[in-house]
Amino acid sequence: MPFDRRDGAPDLGIEQEPFPPIHSAEAGTPPPAVLDAINPATREGIGGVICTAQSDLAAIVARARDAARAWGDLPSWQHAKALSRLRDLIAQRAPEIAETIARGMGKPLIEALSFEVAAVLDALDDRIAKASGVPVVATASAPASDATSSDATSSDATSSDATSSDATSSDATSSDATSTGATNTGQNPAFQVRDTTRAVVCVIAPVSSPFELAMSPAIAALAGGNAVIVKPSSSTPLVGSMIARLFEEAFTDFPALAQVVHGTADLGSQLATAEGVDFVVFIGSTRVGRKLRAALAPLLRPALFEMGGAVALIVCDDANLERAANAAVFGRFSNNGQGCANVNRVYVQRTVADAFIHKVMHKVRALKSGPYTDPFCEIGPLANGRGLQDLRAVLQDALDERAILVAGGFPAHVTGPNNGERRSARGQGWYWPPTVLAEVNDTMRVMKEAISGPILPIQAVDDDRAAIALVNDAADGSGVCVFSSDLSRAHQIVAQLRAGHAAINDLLMNSAVPSLNPGNGQHCTVHPEQSGDSRLDPGRTSSHPFSMREGLPLDDGGNAREAHWFPYSVAKLRAIEASPRKRVA
């Protein structure tokens, strides 16, 4: 089905059609289903793509396996050459790609350019440099010199929401055999460890960052000598169609090496469990991820999950409150509050709580909501309407428990005794005003659940120990950001946390050092003895295409804000458009 520009949008330069399906159905069968693309700012249809039939999956996987044989036998420099073509296409079409993302899921154009297109270009640069033997140069300073050269592919889990927000780090292994150095004495025979490719990798991507969280793991898989099949979010089908076209043009010499399938969550599960798939990467919500994990377990199929977590932000009494407030507002409300690495809740020490909340309140009230076409827009609509009722229920629960509404509240189109939607709300878009709650406690849903949307709860605590206990009690695999002017104190807090990732005076959505972007969600593998995850099985001597490294974003906390945080402006947008790889103005 061709792209339907019913709203008069300009030609985006990339033909918006689905990846050509493999038709295996017999004559007389019903026409294929269509995924409608909806502009979340207006709720108007902007096109659609044809869904991939379940009956076609076997043929798609078979094509991928054939392509993987030829691709995996090539030397790494030829992989780099093909990936360079993909990089050139993305760089040339960066504005058009960003507009497709922003129009399809609602985020501001600045974020689509800076946090998605630029992140994919960085991932490609990193992989190409390593495959070509070119030294990798860090894009920004970092506390550890070796950390900036680590491979990184971002994963929301989460979002589902994935989420949140928001990234999965991965290393690609080579197919070369490497000796352990053992000597054959007769008593201890020598042996070799050979790292092999997975052959066919399935990537299931979320709506929170529909381009970056589909492309980055796919790039890692391709660089490791694998074929890849991407199942994009059903909420942004035109982004998936665009990815398919990029793959087709970049890999013309390798048909079916990188394919895209379109459909609902059920199709993703069917693909992940299909015979012939060797490895699965899932980035999305915990609820969906757990179901998929259960389905993969009997198959003993290795998989990497990046599921939605809840990032906590701790504000100590000696913190730079201006920086902490700017970080909390940007960390919660960027990406419309839907990334897996977004700040989910704040614990601020009681002696500075009033001053901190006052700063946050004024900053949030100054945020501008609107469509992506407004360069001053900082908050867009939710990507779809699925989370409206969850947000309503969470906010109502907090208010019923006597939380104080500092900013925002229910959107105008959520009214009535059950907060149902008015019929006249269809043209208003899925907007939810940036909302801040104070006087919350750890019994409220808003403090216990990973929220995908622009609601920020702030809880006052007595001291460091209380904040540490609350974060650890959550036990949800969340990350944490600690703000303190005393770096030694901040490190001591981090050392006592059971969080998966941490940052000091910075955010986990570390756009300034993209190669360190650690993601945030709950990382888990099915059958680590099959996947080779060294964190779960440290005794293994070999790695696998998706081994993980983590970085600790670290700042001295002296500056009040980072250049890529709010506010947005025409100047920032123009600077990023001029060079999409630059993440700060």
Side-chain angles (χ1 to χ4, degrees):
M1 172 177 286
F3 180 69
D4 178 11
R5 297 182 176 85
R6 281 174 277 179
D7 62 351
D11 191 325
L12 299 181
I14 300 177
E15 188 179 8
Q16 301 286 3
E17 293 181 354
F19 185 85
I22 304 172
H23 295 293
S24 60
E26 297 179 357
T29 58
V34 173
L35 275 180
D36 291 324
I38 306 296
N39 182 343
T42 62
R43 306 197 202 187
E44 295 174 347
I46 54 176
V49 299
I50 298 173
C51 293
T52 304
Q54 180 182 358
S55 57
D56 291 334
L57 292 180
I60 290 170
V61 173
R63 288 176 57 188
R65 184 162 292 278
D66 289 341
R69 292 191 184 98
W71 176 257
D73 289 340
L74 295 176
S76 60
W77 68 265
Q78 288 193 257
H79 294 164
K81 184 178 179 181
L83 290 173
S84 294
R85 290 197 294 271
L86 177 62
R87 192 225 181 273
D88 290 343
L89 286 171
I90 295 173
Q92 292 165 7
R93 301 174 181 177
E96 295 85 358
I97 294 171
E99 185 166 354
T100 303
I101 298 166
R103 188 164 174 248
M105 67 83 61
K107 68 174 59 179
L109 193 59
I110 283 178
E111 294 180 359
L113 273 168
S114 185
F115 302 140
E116 296 219 45
V117 179
V120 171
L121 290 173
D122 285 329
L124 280 163
D125 285 342
D126 187 55
R127 296 290 174 175
I128 292 167
K130 284 178 168 57
S132 305
V134 178
V136 177
V137 179
T139 56
S141 61
S145 59
D146 61 340
T148 56
S149 63
S150 64
D151 289 348
T153 58
S154 180
S155 33
D156 183 193
T158 273
S159 199
S160 244
D161 267 63
T163 317
S164 59
S165 147
D166 25 225
T168 302
S169 295
S170 310
D171 268 349
T173 60
S174 79
S175 59
D176 298 334
T178 56
S179 172
T180 63
T183 301
N184 189 352
T185 64
Q187 295 178 340
N188 297 298
F191 64 95
Q192 287 186 327
V193 174
R194 183 173 183 269
D195 293 340
T196 60
T197 61
R198 295 290 187 187
V200 178
V201 175
C202 159
V203 176
I204 300 176
V207 70
S208 57
S209 293
F211 184 69
E212 193 269 326
L213 291 181
M215 291 293 287
S216 290
I219 291 165
L222 291 165
N226 304 282
V228 66
I229 305 172
V230 175
K231 191 278 176 188
S233 168
S234 59
S235 293
T236 53
L238 297 186
V239 175
S241 179
M242 176 184 63
I243 291 172
R245 293 303 175 199
L246 289 169
F247 283 161
E248 286 183 335
E249 293 187 48
F251 303 115
T252 53
D253 296 335
F254 307 96
L257 177 67
Q259 302 178 76
V260 175
V261 298
H262 296 283
T264 61
D266 288 343
L267 184 74
S269 297
Q270 292 158 2
L271 173 63
T273 56
E275 184 177 356
V277 171
D278 300 292
F279 194 90
V280 177
V281 178
F282 172 86
I283 308 172
S285 71
T286 301
R287 178 182 58 83
V288 176
R290 285 174 176 167
K291 290 182 179 179
L292 180 58
R293 184 171 57 185
L296 291 175
L299 303 176
L300 300 180
R301 181 161 299 167
L304 179 62
F305 287 82
E306 175 86 4
M307 299 189 290
V311 175
L313 190 147
I314 296 175
V315 182
C316 299
D317 53 12
D318 64 345
N320 178 339
L321 292 187
E322 186 68 14
R323 180 178 178 86
N326 282 324
V329 173
F330 181 80
R332 172 67 271 181
F333 299 110
S334 61
N335 201 19
N336 309 338
Q338 298 171 108
C340 64
N342 281 79
V343 171
N344 210 260
R345 50 184 178 249
V346 174
Y347 301 104
V348 57
Q349 294 194 4
R350 202 173 304 278
T351 55
V352 296
D354 288 345
F356 175 79
I357 292 170
H358 186 76
K359 288 179 179 292
V360 169
M361 175 186 69
H362 284 287
K363 294 177 188 302
V364 169
R365 290 180 178 177
L367 294 177
K368 182 174 182 179
S369 297
Y372 76 92
T373 50
D374 182 351
F376 292 95
C377 164
E378 288 140 340
I379 305 293
L382 300 173
N384 53 56
R386 299 171 192 165
L388 284 173
Q389 290 306 313
D390 287 340
L391 290 177
R392 181 209 66 78
V394 166
L395 179 54
Q396 190 63 59
D397 172 78
L399 295 177
D400 289 344
E401 295 296 323
R402 299 189 177 183
I404 295 177
L405 192 63
V406 175
F410 295 104
H413 60 271
V414 178
T415 60
N418 297 317
N419 288 325
E421 290 195 282
R422 298 197 311 264
R423 292 183 179 180
S424 61
R426 282 194 58 81
Q428 296 181 17
W430 288 303
Y431 288 96
W432 190 286
T435 299
V436 179
L437 292 168
E439 297 295 330
V440 298
N441 61 63
D442 57 305
T443 67
M444 297 178 184
R445 289 182 57 186
V446 73
M447 295 298 288
K448 296 191 295 184
E449 300 178 11
I451 307 301
S452 180
I455 297 178
L456 177 65
I458 303 175
Q459 180 173 351
V461 296
D462 292 331
D463 50 28
D464 294 357
R465 182 179 300 179
I468 292 168
L470 287 169
V471 171
N472 287 339
D473 285 347
D476 57 1
S478 61
V480 65
C481 308
V482 179
F483 282 74
S484 171
S485 296
D486 184 342
L487 294 184
S488 176
R489 176 185 182 183
H491 277 289
Q492 289 176 6
I493 293 173
V494 168
Q496 298 177 67
L497 293 169
R498 294 196 294 267
H501 303 285
I504 294 174
N505 294 317
D506 206 345
L507 298 169
L508 288 174
M509 47 177 65
N510 191 19
S511 60
V513 190
S515 63
L516 279 179
N517 194 340
N520 165 60
Q522 303 173 27
H523 298 279
C524 54
T525 52
V526 176
H527 301 293
E529 70 277 8
Q530 298 292 324
S531 69
D533 188 334
S534 60
R535 298 190 312 130
L536 297 181
D537 186 8
R540 289 187 61 91
T541 57
S542 65
S543 58
H544 74 106
F546 298 98
S547 60
M548 300 168 63
R549 291 180 182 174
E550 297 176 359
L552 173 67
L554 176 64
D555 194 281
D556 62 11
N559 293 328
R561 72 177 76 238
E562 294 296 314
H564 58 273
W565 294 356
F566 300 142
Y568 292 158
S569 66
V570 175
K572 282 189 178 183
L573 177 59
R574 294 293 175 261
I576 296 172
E577 286 177 336
S579 181
R581 289 193 67 235
K582 291 184 178 180
R583 294 169 176 257
V584 297

